[in-house]
Amino acid sequence: MDQRTSGADALTQTNDATQALVGVVCGLSAALFWALGFAGTRHGLKVGFTPVDLLVHRYVWSGIAFLPLVLRAGVSDLCGIGWARGLALMVLGGPVMSLISYTGFLFVPLGHGSVIQPSCATLGGLLLAALFLKERISASRLAGAMVIVGGLGVIGAESIGHIGIDGVQGDLIFVLTGLMFAGFGALLRHWRVSAVSAALVINVLSLLLLLPIYIATVGLAHVAAIGVTENAIQALAQGVLAGPAALYLFAVSVQRLGVARAAVFPACVPALTLLTGWLLLGEPPTALQAAGLVTVLCGFYLAQRQS
Protein backbone atom coordinates (compact mmCIF):
# COMPACT_ATOMS: atom_id res chain seq x y z
CA MET A 1 0.00 0.00 0.00
CA ASP A 2 2.78 2.41 0.91
CA GLN A 3 4.61 1.62 -2.31
CA ARG A 4 1.47 2.19 -4.38
CA THR A 5 0.83 5.49 -2.59
CA SER A 6 4.43 6.56 -3.05
CA GLY A 7 4.27 5.66 -6.75
CA ALA A 8 1.04 7.60 -7.20
CA ASP A 9 2.54 10.64 -5.47
CA ALA A 10 5.64 10.47 -7.67
CA LEU A 11 3.47 10.22 -10.79
CA THR A 12 1.40 13.21 -9.64
CA GLN A 13 4.54 15.28 -9.02
CA THR A 14 5.89 14.32 -12.45
CA ASN A 15 2.63 15.33 -14.11
CA ASP A 16 2.58 18.62 -12.21
CA ALA A 17 6.16 19.35 -13.26
CA THR A 18 5.34 18.53 -16.87
CA GLN A 19 2.27 20.77 -16.80
CA ALA A 20 4.31 23.61 -15.31
CA LEU A 21 7.05 23.18 -17.93
CA VAL A 22 4.47 23.27 -20.73
CA GLY A 23 2.97 26.40 -19.21
CA VAL A 24 6.34 28.16 -19.01
CA VAL A 25 7.29 27.23 -22.58
CA CYS A 26 3.92 28.38 -23.91
CA GLY A 27 4.05 31.63 -21.92
CA LEU A 28 7.54 32.50 -23.10
CA SER A 29 6.60 31.62 -26.68
CA ALA A 30 3.56 33.90 -26.51
CA ALA A 31 5.72 36.76 -25.20
CA LEU A 32 8.24 36.16 -27.99
CA PHE A 33 5.50 36.15 -30.63
CA TRP A 34 4.11 39.45 -29.31
CA ALA A 35 7.62 40.89 -29.41
CA LEU A 36 8.04 39.70 -33.00
CA GLY A 37 4.79 41.47 -33.80
CA PHE A 38 6.25 44.76 -32.51
CA ALA A 39 9.45 44.19 -34.49
CA GLY A 40 7.44 43.26 -37.58
CA THR A 41 5.51 46.52 -37.29
CA ARG A 42 8.69 48.57 -37.17
CA HIS A 43 10.15 46.66 -40.13
CA GLY A 44 6.95 46.96 -42.14
CA LEU A 45 6.81 50.73 -41.75
CA LYS A 46 10.44 50.94 -42.88
CA VAL A 47 9.84 49.02 -46.10
CA GLY A 48 6.83 51.06 -47.12
CA PHE A 49 3.70 49.67 -45.51
CA THR A 50 1.29 52.20 -44.04
CA PRO A 51 -0.29 51.68 -40.60
CA VAL A 52 -3.55 50.76 -42.34
CA ASP A 53 -1.77 48.11 -44.45
CA LEU A 54 -0.36 46.54 -41.30
CA LEU A 55 -3.78 46.68 -39.69
CA VAL A 56 -5.21 44.57 -42.49
CA HIS A 57 -2.45 41.98 -42.10
CA ARG A 58 -3.03 41.91 -38.34
CA TYR A 59 -6.76 41.26 -38.38
CA VAL A 60 -7.77 39.76 -41.73
CA TRP A 61 -5.78 36.53 -41.45
CA SER A 62 -6.70 35.88 -37.82
CA GLY A 63 -10.30 36.89 -38.60
CA ILE A 64 -10.46 34.23 -41.31
CA ALA A 65 -9.03 31.66 -38.88
CA PHE A 66 -11.53 32.55 -36.15
CA LEU A 67 -14.61 33.00 -38.37
CA PRO A 68 -15.76 29.35 -38.20
CA LEU A 69 -15.57 29.41 -34.40
CA VAL A 70 -17.70 32.56 -34.16
CA LEU A 71 -20.22 31.22 -36.67
CA ARG A 72 -20.51 28.05 -34.63
CA ALA A 73 -20.96 29.97 -31.35
CA GLY A 74 -23.51 32.35 -32.84
CA VAL A 75 -23.20 35.63 -34.74
CA SER A 76 -26.51 37.10 -33.61
CA ASP A 77 -25.18 37.77 -30.10
CA LEU A 78 -21.43 37.57 -30.93
CA CYS A 79 -20.62 34.51 -28.85
CA GLY A 80 -22.80 35.79 -26.02
CA ILE A 81 -20.92 39.10 -25.75
CA GLY A 82 -23.45 41.21 -27.66
CA TRP A 83 -22.91 43.69 -30.46
CA ALA A 84 -22.65 46.84 -28.32
CA ARG A 85 -20.07 45.32 -26.03
CA GLY A 86 -18.27 43.68 -28.93
CA LEU A 87 -17.90 47.01 -30.74
CA ALA A 88 -16.68 48.72 -27.55
CA LEU A 89 -14.05 46.02 -27.06
CA MET A 90 -13.06 46.31 -30.73
CA VAL A 91 -12.34 50.02 -30.30
CA LEU A 92 -10.33 49.73 -27.08
CA GLY A 93 -8.49 46.48 -27.74
CA GLY A 94 -8.75 45.93 -31.47
CA PRO A 95 -8.05 47.69 -34.78
CA VAL A 96 -8.63 51.25 -33.55
CA MET A 97 -6.04 50.87 -30.82
CA SER A 98 -3.69 48.98 -33.14
CA LEU A 99 -3.88 51.65 -35.84
CA ILE A 100 -2.97 54.37 -33.36
CA SER A 101 -0.14 52.20 -32.02
CA TYR A 102 1.30 51.52 -35.48
CA THR A 103 1.29 55.25 -36.15
CA GLY A 104 3.42 55.83 -33.06
CA PHE A 105 6.29 53.87 -34.58
CA LEU A 106 6.52 56.49 -37.31
CA PHE A 107 7.85 58.92 -34.69
CA VAL A 108 9.92 56.96 -32.17
CA PRO A 109 12.24 53.91 -32.11
CA LEU A 110 11.06 50.41 -31.30
CA GLY A 111 12.30 50.64 -27.73
CA HIS A 112 9.87 53.42 -26.86
CA GLY A 113 6.61 51.87 -28.00
CA SER A 114 7.45 48.39 -26.75
CA VAL A 115 8.06 49.70 -23.23
CA ILE A 116 5.65 52.64 -22.90
CA GLN A 117 2.52 50.92 -24.18
CA PRO A 118 2.56 47.88 -21.84
CA SER A 119 3.72 50.07 -18.95
CA CYS A 120 0.80 52.46 -19.36
CA ALA A 121 -1.52 49.48 -19.76
CA THR A 122 -0.34 48.26 -16.34
CA LEU A 123 -0.67 51.70 -14.76
CA GLY A 124 -4.08 52.30 -16.30
CA GLY A 125 -5.23 48.85 -15.24
CA LEU A 126 -4.30 49.52 -11.62
CA LEU A 127 -6.04 52.91 -11.69
CA LEU A 128 -9.25 51.59 -13.28
CA ALA A 129 -9.30 48.60 -10.94
CA ALA A 130 -9.17 50.93 -7.94
CA LEU A 131 -11.62 53.59 -9.19
CA PHE A 132 -14.25 51.59 -11.06
CA LEU A 133 -13.88 47.95 -10.06
CA LYS A 134 -13.30 48.85 -6.40
CA GLU A 135 -10.34 46.49 -6.07
CA ARG A 136 -7.89 47.03 -3.25
CA ILE A 137 -4.43 48.08 -4.45
CA SER A 138 -1.70 46.69 -2.23
CA ALA A 139 1.30 48.71 -1.11
CA SER A 140 3.53 46.55 -3.32
CA ARG A 141 1.48 47.29 -6.40
CA LEU A 142 1.37 50.99 -5.61
CA ALA A 143 5.15 50.99 -5.23
CA GLY A 144 5.45 49.12 -8.53
CA ALA A 145 3.31 51.75 -10.24
CA MET A 146 5.59 54.51 -8.95
CA VAL A 147 8.67 52.65 -10.18
CA ILE A 148 7.08 52.20 -13.62
CA VAL A 149 6.37 55.93 -13.78
CA GLY A 150 10.05 56.52 -12.99
CA GLY A 151 11.09 54.22 -15.85
CA LEU A 152 8.75 56.00 -18.24
CA GLY A 153 10.29 59.29 -17.15
CA VAL A 154 13.73 57.99 -18.15
CA ILE A 155 12.49 57.02 -21.61
CA GLY A 156 10.56 60.28 -21.96
CA ALA A 157 13.74 62.20 -21.18
CA GLU A 158 15.33 60.68 -24.27
CA SER A 159 12.46 61.90 -26.42
CA ILE A 160 12.70 65.42 -25.03
CA GLY A 161 16.47 65.61 -25.15
CA HIS A 162 17.41 63.70 -28.29
CA ILE A 163 14.42 63.14 -30.59
CA GLY A 164 12.45 66.34 -30.17
CA ILE A 165 8.79 67.12 -30.62
CA ASP A 166 8.21 64.05 -32.81
CA GLY A 167 9.56 61.87 -30.04
CA VAL A 168 7.24 63.41 -27.47
CA GLN A 169 4.31 62.97 -29.86
CA GLY A 170 5.19 59.31 -30.43
CA ASP A 171 5.54 58.64 -26.71
CA LEU A 172 2.16 60.24 -26.01
CA ILE A 173 0.60 58.03 -28.69
CA PHE A 174 1.82 54.96 -26.82
CA VAL A 175 0.57 56.39 -23.53
CA LEU A 176 -2.86 56.66 -25.15
CA THR A 177 -2.84 53.12 -26.57
CA GLY A 178 -1.65 51.72 -23.26
CA LEU A 179 -4.54 53.41 -21.46
CA MET A 180 -6.95 52.16 -24.13
CA PHE A 181 -5.79 48.61 -23.53
CA ALA A 182 -6.22 49.14 -19.79
CA GLY A 183 -9.83 50.13 -20.47
CA PHE A 184 -10.22 47.01 -22.58
CA GLY A 185 -9.00 44.85 -19.71
CA ALA A 186 -11.25 46.62 -17.20
CA LEU A 187 -14.30 46.02 -19.40
CA LEU A 188 -13.40 42.35 -19.75
CA ARG A 189 -13.36 42.01 -15.97
CA HIS A 190 -16.48 44.14 -15.46
CA TRP A 191 -18.50 42.24 -18.08
CA ARG A 192 -16.89 38.90 -17.18
CA VAL A 193 -15.86 38.21 -20.75
CA SER A 194 -13.01 35.77 -21.34
CA ALA A 195 -9.99 37.07 -23.25
CA VAL A 196 -10.35 34.23 -25.76
CA SER A 197 -14.00 35.08 -26.53
CA ALA A 198 -13.10 38.76 -26.87
CA ALA A 199 -10.25 37.96 -29.25
CA LEU A 200 -12.51 35.80 -31.42
CA VAL A 201 -15.14 38.52 -31.68
CA ILE A 202 -12.66 41.37 -32.25
CA ASN A 203 -10.84 39.59 -35.05
CA VAL A 204 -14.00 38.49 -36.86
CA LEU A 205 -15.65 41.92 -36.53
CA SER A 206 -12.45 43.50 -37.84
CA LEU A 207 -12.43 41.13 -40.80
CA LEU A 208 -16.05 41.87 -41.70
CA LEU A 209 -15.80 45.65 -41.26
CA LEU A 210 -12.19 46.45 -42.14
CA LEU A 211 -11.51 44.43 -45.29
CA PRO A 212 -14.38 45.76 -47.43
CA ILE A 213 -13.60 49.37 -46.44
CA TYR A 214 -9.89 48.86 -47.14
CA ILE A 215 -10.48 47.34 -50.58
CA ALA A 216 -13.00 50.05 -51.50
CA THR A 217 -10.91 53.03 -50.37
CA VAL A 218 -7.25 52.00 -50.52
CA GLY A 219 -7.19 48.96 -52.78
CA LEU A 220 -4.58 46.22 -53.02
CA ALA A 221 -2.19 47.80 -55.53
CA HIS A 222 0.04 49.42 -52.90
CA VAL A 223 0.62 46.32 -50.78
CA ALA A 224 1.03 44.19 -53.92
CA ALA A 225 3.77 46.52 -55.16
CA ILE A 226 5.80 45.95 -51.97
CA GLY A 227 6.24 42.31 -52.93
CA VAL A 228 5.21 38.81 -51.95
CA THR A 229 8.06 38.29 -49.48
CA GLU A 230 7.37 41.39 -47.39
CA ASN A 231 3.64 40.69 -47.37
CA ALA A 232 4.33 37.12 -46.26
CA ILE A 233 6.50 38.44 -43.41
CA GLN A 234 3.68 40.70 -42.20
CA ALA A 235 1.06 37.98 -42.61
CA LEU A 236 3.22 35.73 -40.42
CA ALA A 237 4.29 38.35 -37.85
CA GLN A 238 0.98 40.18 -37.48
CA GLY A 239 -1.70 37.76 -38.63
CA VAL A 240 -0.31 34.52 -37.16
CA LEU A 241 2.34 35.00 -34.48
CA ALA A 242 1.12 38.18 -32.74
CA GLY A 243 -2.52 37.17 -33.27
CA PRO A 244 -3.98 33.68 -32.87
CA ALA A 245 -0.72 31.87 -32.08
CA ALA A 246 0.21 34.14 -29.15
CA LEU A 247 -3.36 34.13 -27.87
CA TYR A 248 -3.57 30.34 -27.92
CA LEU A 249 -0.19 29.86 -26.25
CA PHE A 250 -0.94 32.40 -23.54
CA ALA A 251 -4.31 30.73 -22.87
CA VAL A 252 -2.52 27.38 -22.46
CA SER A 253 -0.06 29.03 -20.09
CA VAL A 254 -2.91 30.38 -17.95
CA GLN A 255 -4.53 26.94 -17.86
CA ARG A 256 -1.29 25.24 -16.80
CA LEU A 257 0.07 27.85 -14.39
CA GLY A 258 -2.88 29.97 -13.26
CA VAL A 259 -3.59 33.64 -13.93
CA ALA A 260 -1.17 35.08 -11.35
CA ARG A 261 1.87 33.07 -12.48
CA ALA A 262 1.13 33.48 -16.19
CA ALA A 263 0.88 37.27 -15.77
CA VAL A 264 4.68 37.47 -15.70
CA PHE A 265 4.99 36.62 -19.40
CA PRO A 266 3.41 39.80 -20.86
CA ALA A 267 5.87 41.70 -18.67
CA CYS A 268 8.68 40.01 -20.62
CA VAL A 269 7.50 41.52 -23.91
CA PRO A 270 9.42 44.85 -23.65
CA ALA A 271 12.74 43.12 -23.05
CA LEU A 272 12.15 40.56 -25.79
CA THR A 273 11.09 43.32 -28.19
CA LEU A 274 14.30 45.26 -27.61
CA LEU A 275 16.29 42.06 -28.09
CA THR A 276 14.52 41.06 -31.31
CA GLY A 277 14.76 44.63 -32.61
CA TRP A 278 18.50 44.54 -32.00
CA LEU A 279 19.05 41.12 -33.56
CA LEU A 280 16.60 41.32 -36.47
CA LEU A 281 16.41 45.03 -37.29
CA GLY A 282 19.82 46.24 -36.18
CA GLU A 283 18.35 48.74 -33.68
CA PRO A 284 20.36 48.42 -30.46
CA PRO A 285 18.72 50.04 -27.43
CA THR A 286 20.27 53.26 -26.21
CA ALA A 287 21.56 53.61 -22.67
CA LEU A 288 18.45 55.54 -21.64
CA GLN A 289 16.14 52.96 -23.22
CA ALA A 290 17.96 50.15 -21.40
CA ALA A 291 17.86 52.04 -18.10
CA GLY A 292 14.17 52.75 -18.55
CA LEU A 293 13.48 49.11 -19.40
CA VAL A 294 15.25 47.80 -16.30
CA THR A 295 13.36 50.28 -14.13
CA VAL A 296 10.04 49.34 -15.70
CA LEU A 297 10.70 45.61 -15.27
CA CYS A 298 11.33 46.18 -11.57
CA GLY A 299 8.03 48.02 -11.43
CA PHE A 300 6.27 45.16 -13.23
CA TYR A 301 7.61 42.74 -10.62
CA LEU A 302 6.29 44.80 -7.75
CA ALA A 303 2.97 45.53 -9.46
CA GLN A 304 2.25 41.85 -9.98
CA ARG A 305 2.85 40.84 -6.39
CA GLN A 306 -0.25 40.15 -4.35
CA SER A 307 0.91 41.82 -1.13
Side-chain angles (χ1 to χ4, degrees):
M1 180 69 70
D2 290 340
Q3 289 180 345
R4 288 198 298 269
T5 302
S6 176
D9 290 342
L11 181 61
T12 300
Q13 291 177 356
T14 301
N15 289 336
D16 289 344
T18 301
Q19 294 289 327
L21 178 60
V22 170
V24 170
V25 171
C26 289
L28 286 174
S29 298
L32 177 60
F33 288 174
W34 280 321
L36 289 172
F38 273 118
T41 298
R42 179 70 172 170
H43 171 74
L45 293 171
K46 281 185 171 183
V47 299
F49 288 104
T50 68
V52 177
D53 297 333
L54 296 178
L55 194 70
V56 171
H57 274 300
R58 170 64 182 84
Y59 288 100
V60 165
W61 307 115
S62 53
I64 293 172
F66 291 151
L67 183 59
L69 299 176
V70 174
L71 291 176
R72 188 182 310 160
V75 178
S76 59
D77 63 350
L78 287 181
C79 302
I81 295 176
W83 280 85
R85 292 181 176 182
L87 290 171
L89 294 174
M90 190 178 75
V91 170
L92 292 177
V96 176
M97 184 206 72
S98 297
L99 180 62
I100 299 171
S101 177
Y102 295 157
T103 304
F105 284 112
L106 294 172
F107 300 100
V108 292
L110 183 64
H112 284 237
S114 63
V115 175
I116 293 174
Q117 183 168 305
S119 298
C120 288
T122 299
L123 292 174
L126 290 173
L127 180 63
L128 291 174
L131 294 180
F132 297 106
L133 303 179
K134 307 303 180 183
E135 294 183 6
R136 187 184 71 86
I137 305 302
S138 66
S140 175
R141 289 183 172 177
L142 185 59
M146 296 174 65
V147 173
I148 289 173
V149 170
L152 293 177
V154 173
I155 295 175
E158 181 179 59
S159 291
I160 296 173
H162 298 87
I163 303 176
I165 189 66
D166 283 349
V168 175
Q169 181 177 347
D171 286 352
L172 290 177
I173 285 174
F174 290 115
V175 171
L176 173 61
T177 53
L179 294 177
M180 290 176 70
F181 194 75
F184 170 76
L187 288 180
L188 288 183
R189 280 183 285 173
H190 178 64
W191 290 334
R192 301 182 184 222
V193 175
S194 74
V196 173
S197 296
L200 293 176
V201 167
I202 287 172
N203 282 277
V204 170
L205 276 178
S206 301
L207 168 67
L208 298 178
L209 298 176
L210 177 63
L211 185 59
I213 296 174
Y214 178 79
I215 293 176
T217 58
V218 179
L220 301 176
H222 173 66
V223 293
I226 296 177
V228 174
T229 300
E230 293 296 343
N231 276 282
I233 289 173
Q234 293 306 318
L236 176 63
Q238 308 297 340
V240 177
L241 297 183
L247 173 68
Y248 172 77
L249 290 169
F250 185 65
V252 172
S253 177
V254 171
Q255 291 173 352
R256 299 295 190 274
L257 301 176
V259 175
R261 293 173 66 188
V264 71
F265 298 113
C268 298
V269 173
L272 289 173
T273 303
L274 288 181
L275 180 61
T276 55
W278 189 359
L279 296 177
L280 299 180
L281 305 181
E283 293 188 13
T286 65
L288 283 175
Q289 289 174 22
L293 171 65
V294 171
T295 305
V296 163
L297 290 178
C298 292
F300 278 149
Y301 170 75
L302 293 172
Q304 289 172 352
R305 293 182 62 186
Q306 297 297 321
S307 59

